Amino acid sequence: MSDATQHPSSAFLPRIPRLGALLLRLRFRGEGGEALIGDLLEEHHHLVTADGESVRARSWFRRQVVASLMARSGRTGDHLKGRLQAEAAGMNESPGAPGPKRRFGFEDFRLDLFRATRIFRRRPLLATVTIITLAVGIGANTLIFSIFSDIFIKPLPYRDSEQLVSVYRIEERVTGLDPSVERLAGLYAVPYALYRDWQELGVHFSEIGAFGGTTLTLTGAGEAEQIRGMLTTSGVFGALGIEPRLGRRFLPEDDEPGADPAIVLSNRSWQRRFGGDENIIGRSVSLGGVAYTVVGVMPDGFYFPSGREEFWATFSDDQKSSDYRPGGYLQTIARLRPGINLPTAQSQMDGVAAHLGEVYPSESEHGVRLVPRLALTVTSGRGQMLLFLGAAGIVLLIACANIAGLLLVRAMERRRELAVRVALGASQGRIISQVMTESLFLSLTGGVVGFVAAIVGLKPFLAAIPGGLPRAAEITVDFKILLLAVGISLLTALLTGLIPALRSSRSAFDEAAALGSTTSTGGRRDSRTQAVLVTVQVALAFTLLTTTGLLARSYLRLTQVDLGFETDDLLVARVTLPDPYRATDEAQTRFFTEAIAEVRALPGVEGVAVSSQFPYVGGTYSPPAAIEIPDGLVEVAIPRLSVSRDFFQIMDLSILSGRGFTPDDNQDGPAVAVVNETLARRAWPDSTNPLGTSALGARIQIPGDTDPIWITVVGITEDFRFWHEGPVWPLYFMPYTQDTVYFYTFVVRTGVDPSSLIGPLRDAISSLDRDLPVAPSLLVDRMRTTPALIGVRFGAIALGLLATIAGLLALMGIYGMLAFTISRQTREIGIRIALGARLRQIVRGVVARGLTLAGIGLLAGLFLTILVGSLLRSALFEVSPTDPVTLGA
């Protein structure tokens, strides 16, 4: 401050005696003098405001100047303590007249705020570091908690979403040979026939609808494209209660057999594929070779069930009239009638299940389960978001401990200034108020910066999460994020300011009693307080660093898993046939047989095969089946792969016993299967042969159109993994000429760079049908982008960033604590050196203190890591939460 009268708050402070201000400025130089002058100005303003008589206020100011000069020039000990007690008893009375104490009010807060801004303008580096540190912690917590709230707490974006439930078939019995091959009790999809029964008998549902995912080829609107959508009944839109932006939703008559196929488009597909044509209603669209009439367009932002659907279409007549009950492929959504709660509806549906079990014997083994729709929508992503939320919370706690330590050091540096304020009559409450206001100023400023960072970082953060998050389209920046940032900022102000405020007020009174002496009190207490704060920082940082290390080791373990086959020179392409090819099994088999021949003729192709399921390309399909063992039939739910006869050769899988498939294994021959080693060992163990050769000749039963089909096991092949994570699954294979489906993955092994065959492979398959979309890719590229690998890698990177910040903050805390301790011991160290102590001994003592604090923090962090280790177990792969390598590193 260049002039005592040019105080930052001079715009609202009265003029004061210039001579007194000049004497204070000349006598008290430096930061303490600036603070003293500013405090006297503020107190002078209070007095003027109280009685409006500037003459008496000026007289008070002169007395305070004289008292301050005398205090700094030798008034010490009991004399000053007595003055302190006297002034404390009559603090803030109007000059010259006794009266009640002036209570703390808005004016005091405003003055404390000006004092805070004045202090941090003099220390811009301290203010900047503190604000940035807090902004990181507050911004991360604001961002992640707001995402968590929108996903897992906010109601679904449908009318009265708390009334929405999903209805599932359940199987109460648990049978099987082993958890990996048994049909476990749980929630199962339903057949269309069962859905019709529930629609008729579910009296507590105002609406119930069925839906199932599908991928169809869109033609006639530009380039052919496979798009994802849903087959739905009218009850789906009725339950959701959302009306289209154009046209209408499905009506009950659309569910009747014989009704014209109808389709409702998403707003995204309407804009992207049809240019937002307002006249789209009534137009015919070709999907999968079937003409659908567009009856509606949903509003922007609508999604069901995942946000990736481009359309919703009606079921085919065959599906609507099907009486098939053994297996299911549909999910349901229902709306409870007003006044009906979940237990009541569950009880009524239990009665429905019992009734259906009497009418249809196949239903006697099944029950029914109602599940709130929100619980199903947000099943994925909760663990990862909780992990991020916990990590962000740890960073905020470390930041708070660090800032509390900085403010404590700052308060100790200002103890003389605060002591003079006490000598001038400031109460303990006013000292606490000042320090807490400074903390509040820093926290709110950091909160504003963090809030802006949360807004800017929201979309990039969501885009970076592999596989996305459920309800991602609903996550927005709104007023609640601002309230959340303010709330976190206020909490941070309390956490960072409380300890320094209490210690400052106590030290100020101790220091006031010792003004003029050569000693200072409270040093040991201050050092202990800082040591505790540093230990907390190290412990929390260690926990976060350990978590990052465990995820990193999980990722490494995942990438090192042996899949059981060579992946580097494999090219894959998923092909789904449209409806015209699905008329007969012969038509489907003919297409894929011709496509295999076209691809095999390409230069550089060493072999080609097709498989209905393939690692990292298509999901697994586990249709109902039963294994024949000496004790009878055992129901199982294990994947069945429909493959061409060259599949085992292309995959370099040896036939361990028996044989593979031959040209004679066609539709006219007996049904045969090859099982993998895992299934052979578990289902047909042989005490004389570990491989389980007794599997040869065993039978597997699968449902047929009319009667069950019996399949004879003719071979046993080596195991391979579908995914990096998890155990090797039991599998059985059937020749695609006996188990024809309309979707296959082409698996091409090349003798050249596989990327050079992407175009030729696409052209070879498309030559059979130009409207058939084909998108070949390298298998290794698909593996790198699998959700499991990306999820663990992203988690490790995101947590690693937070852990790095936490580690740096902890290092700053140790450095600040040691620097503070050394600054308090400068005189002592000088005396020790004068008495003959070597510099090496001094340095050793300082380093030993730092290592001691770090060691205590690491031990505390180890204990904390063990406590929270169980929460990490589900996110780790082949790594223990107490992995000694990670903890040691």
Side-chain angles (χ1 to χ4, degrees):
M1 183 163 53
S2 59
D3 194 298
T5 60
Q6 298 302 311
H7 181 259
S9 58
S10 59
F12 64 87
L13 289 178
R15 297 179 60 82
I16 62 170
R18 291 180 176 271
L19 179 60
L22 179 61
L23 290 175
L24 288 174
R25 185 167 60 85
L26 293 176
R27 182 63 173 171
F28 303 134
R29 299 181 181 276
E31 189 173 325
E34 296 284 355
L36 175 60
I37 296 171
D39 291 340
L40 288 177
L41 290 174
E42 291 159 3
E43 294 296 334
H44 177 257
H45 169 67
H46 278 308
L47 298 175
V48 172
T49 303
D51 67 358
E53 295 185 16
S54 59
V55 174
R56 298 174 65 181
R58 287 169 179 265
S59 177
W60 173 89
F61 184 80
R62 294 190 189 98
R63 291 198 305 271
Q64 298 304 317
V65 170
V66 173
S68 299
L69 294 174
M70 292 178 64
R72 287 299 299 265
S73 60
R75 296 189 63 180
T76 61
D78 295 336
H79 185 82
L80 183 57
K81 184 179 295 186
R83 177 178 180 273
L84 171 63
Q85 294 171 348
E87 296 243 1
M91 172 62 184
N92 290 330
E93 296 176 357
S94 296
K101 295 181 181 180
R102 179 177 53 82
R103 296 182 177 180
F104 181 81
F106 175 76
E107 194 67 24
D108 299 277
F109 173 74
R110 186 169 67 161
L111 293 173
D112 283 343
L113 189 60
F114 272 106
R115 181 182 292 114
T117 58
R118 184 181 69 239
I119 290 172
F120 290 113
R121 273 203 303 270
R122 290 198 298 265
R123 289 291 188 91
L125 181 59
L126 172 65
T128 301
V129 171
T130 303
I131 290 171
I132 292 177
T133 301
L134 292 176
V136 171
I138 295 173
N141 279 270
T142 301
L143 173 66
I144 296 176
F145 187 82
S146 62
I147 294 175
F148 183 86
S149 173
D150 276 355
I151 295 176
F152 301 104
I153 300 177
K154 186 172 73 175
L156 294 172
Y158 313 120
R159 177 174 57 87
D160 299 328
S161 63
E162 68 278 1
Q163 296 178 329
L164 294 177
V165 298
S166 285
V167 190
Y168 284 92
R169 166 193 272 178
I170 61 171
E171 184 167 338
E172 302 288 359
R173 296 185 303 111
V174 179
T175 61
L177 309 165
D178 180 271
S180 62
V181 295
E182 67 191 7
R183 179 178 298 201
L184 299 177
L187 307 179
Y188 289 91
V190 302
Y192 201 98
L194 182 59
Y195 156 70
R196 289 200 306 265
D197 294 333
W198 289 349
Q199 185 182 35
E200 178 182 353
L201 301 174
V203 297
H204 289 326
F205 301 142
S206 60
E207 292 278 2
I208 182 172
F211 60 94
T214 186
T215 301
L216 299 175
T217 303
L218 174 65
T219 57
E223 184 179 352
E225 178 189 8
Q226 282 189 335
I227 58 176
R228 177 174 176 172
M230 283 283 158
L231 300 178
T232 66
T233 64
S234 61
V236 170
F237 291 105
L240 297 178
I242 305 296
E243 295 295 331
R245 66 174 296 172
L246 293 178
R248 63 172 177 86
R249 65 190 188 186
F250 295 151
L251 302 176
E253 47 265 35
D254 293 317
D255 298 335
E256 299 296 327
D260 292 334
I263 187 173
V264 173
L265 299 175
S266 71
N267 185 79
R268 182 175 62 252
S269 64
W270 174 58
Q271 296 285 353
R272 185 175 63 87
R273 293 290 304 198
F274 302 98
D277 184 5
E278 297 283 346
N279 299 316
I280 189 68
I281 304 301
R283 280 182 51 181
S284 179
V285 175
S286 178
L287 276 174
V290 176
Y292 288 85
T293 301
V294 178
V295 299
V297 176
M298 296 307 292
D300 187 22
F302 172 82
Y303 72 89
F304 182 81
S306 68
R308 296 187 292 271
E309 288 74 25
E310 301 272 2
F311 66 88
W312 297 266
T314 54
F315 287 93
S316 67
D317 286 347
D318 289 342
Q319 292 168 315
K320 295 174 183 176
S321 57
S322 173
D323 290 325
Y324 180 76
R325 290 181 177 274
Y329 61 98
L330 299 177
Q331 297 185 58
T332 63
I333 184 170
R335 176 174 292 277
L336 300 179
R337 293 187 183 276
I340 301 297
N341 57 30
L342 188 63
T344 301
Q346 178 67 63
S347 177
Q348 194 267 333
M349 289 302 293
D350 287 339
V352 170
H355 169 72
L356 292 176
E358 297 174 356
V359 177
Y360 306 102
S362 62
E363 294 292 344
S364 61
E365 300 177 354
H366 304 298
V368 64
R369 179 70 49 78
L370 275 61
V371 183
R373 188 67 199 172
L374 177 60
L376 292 171
T377 304
V378 298
T379 52
S380 62
R382 180 186 293 269
Q384 190 176 53
M385 288 306 302
L386 285 175
L387 191 61
F388 289 155
L389 188 60
I394 288 177
V395 170
L396 181 59
L397 288 177
I398 294 175
C400 288
N402 196 291
I403 301 307
L406 288 176
L407 292 180
L408 183 61
V409 172
R410 175 78 185 118
M412 293 307 101
E413 290 177 348
R414 296 167 52 203
R415 64 187 183 277
R416 288 277 178 173
E417 169 204 335
L418 297 177
V420 172
R421 289 199 66 214
V422 169
L424 293 175
S427 66
Q428 186 176 25
R430 290 292 289 123
I431 299 297
I432 293 176
S433 168
Q434 177 183 341
V435 178
M436 287 299 296
T437 302
E438 294 170 8
S439 176
L440 181 63
F441 169 76
L442 291 173
S443 297
L444 288 178
T445 306
V448 170
V449 178
F451 172 67
V452 174
I455 294 176
V456 174
L458 177 63
K459 288 186 178 180
F461 182 80
L462 293 176
I465 295 179
L469 285 173
R471 307 181 66 185
E474 300 176 50
I475 302 174
T476 58
V477 176
D478 52 24
F479 186 67
K480 77 174 187 305
I481 296 184
L482 177 59
L483 294 179
L484 180 65
V486 172
I488 296 177
S489 299
L490 294 177
L491 177 62
T492 302
L494 180 64
L495 293 175
T496 58
L498 187 59
I499 293 177
L502 295 176
R503 294 292 302 118
S504 298
S505 63
R506 185 179 305 172
S507 298
F509 276 81
D510 293 341
E511 192 72 23
L515 280 173
S517 70
T518 58
T519 61
S520 178
T521 62
R524 290 185 178 180
R525 285 180 298 181
D526 300 335
S527 297
R528 284 196 299 267
T529 303
Q530 270 219 314
V532 171
L533 292 174
V534 169
T535 302
V536 169
Q537 292 180 62
V538 173
L540 294 175
F542 175 80
T543 302
L544 196 51
L545 286 166
T546 302
T547 303
T548 303
L550 291 173
L551 287 176
R553 279 182 57 79
S554 292
Y555 176 72
L556 291 177
R557 290 288 182 89
L558 278 171
T559 58
Q560 295 169 357
V561 170
D562 182 13
L563 294 178
F565 62 96
E566 183 60 44
T567 61
D568 290 342
D569 56 353
L570 284 184
L571 196 62
V572 293
R574 187 74 167 176
V575 175
T576 301
L577 296 178
D579 273 359
Y581 291 95
R582 305 182 194 179
T584 63
D585 291 344
E586 291 79 5
Q588 295 175 177
T589 302
R590 186 183 314 111
F591 176 89
F592 286 108
T593 300
E594 294 176 358
I596 289 173
E598 291 287 338
V599 175
R600 186 180 290 118
L602 293 175
V605 172
E606 294 185 345
V608 59
V610 294
S611 176
S612 59
Q613 303 168 66
F614 197 76
Y616 298 99
V617 179
T620 58
Y621 173 55
S622 304
I627 292 178
E628 185 180 46
I629 60 175
D631 295 335
L633 288 176
V634 177
E635 291 183 341
V636 296
I638 56 179
R640 181 175 84 217
L641 278 67
S642 175
V643 301
S644 61
R645 65 175 182 268
D646 292 335
F647 178 80
F648 304 108
Q649 178 184 353
I650 298 300
M651 295 287 288
D652 197 22
L653 301 174
S654 300
I655 300 297
L656 302 176
S657 183
R659 67 174 178 85
F661 300 136
T662 67
D664 294 332
D665 297 323
N666 51 38
Q667 291 179 333
D668 298 328
V672 296
V674 172
V675 299
N676 71 343
E677 186 178 354
T678 294
L679 180 56
R681 289 181 186 277
R682 293 177 178 174
W684 301 282
D686 189 338
S687 59
T688 62
N689 190 324
L691 180 59
T693 53
S694 60
L696 298 179
R699 296 192 302 171
I700 301 174
Q701 185 191 81
I702 61 175
D705 293 336
T706 55
D707 299 322
I709 299 174
W710 287 97
I711 308 168
T712 303
V713 177
V714 297
I716 303 173
T717 185
E718 289 182 305
D719 287 331
F720 70 90
R721 291 178 180 269
F722 255 81
W723 315 103
H724 280 84
E725 72 278 12
V728 175
W729 293 344
L731 307 169
Y732 68 104
F733 307 83
M734 290 187 66
Y736 83 109
T737 51
Q738 294 183 347
D739 183 36
T740 304
V741 296
Y742 59 86
F743 49 87
Y744 281 101
T745 296
F746 284 78
V747 185
V748 180
R749 188 167 293 280
T750 69
V752 296
D753 179 8
S755 60
S756 65
L757 289 176
I758 291 179
L761 174 60
R762 180 177 56 248
D763 295 340
I765 300 176
S766 297
S767 65
L768 302 176
D769 189 335
R770 292 297 177 185
D771 290 333
L772 190 65
V774 182
S777 60
L778 303 180
L779 180 61
V780 291
D781 289 344
R782 285 183 171 268
M783 291 167 57
R784 293 191 191 102
T785 57
T786 185
L789 288 174
I790 294 181
V792 176
R793 184 173 68 226
F794 175 80
I797 293 174
L799 289 181
L801 178 61
L802 293 174
T804 300
I805 296 172
L808 291 175
L809 290 176
L811 289 176
M812 288 172 57
I814 294 178
Y815 171 78
M817 188 279 303
L818 291 176
F820 172 69
T821 301
I822 296 302
S823 67
R824 300 295 296 269
Q825 297 176 348
T826 303
R827 184 175 180 181
E828 174 190 341
I829 293 173
I831 294 174
R832 291 178 59 189
I833 293 177
L835 293 176
R838 294 186 177 183
L839 182 61
R840 183 183 306 172
Q841 295 174 315
I842 305 297
V843 173
R844 186 184 298 120
V846 174
V847 173
R849 178 169 175 78
L851 291 177
T852 300
L853 290 177
I856 296 173
L858 291 178
L859 289 176
L862 178 62
F863 179 72
L864 185 60
T865 300
I866 294 174
L867 286 180
V868 302
S870 58
L871 301 177
L872 295 174
R873 196 175 300 276
S874 61
L876 303 178
F877 177 76
E878 294 186 356
V879 177
S880 169
T882 56
D883 178 52
V885 175
T886 304
L887 297 180

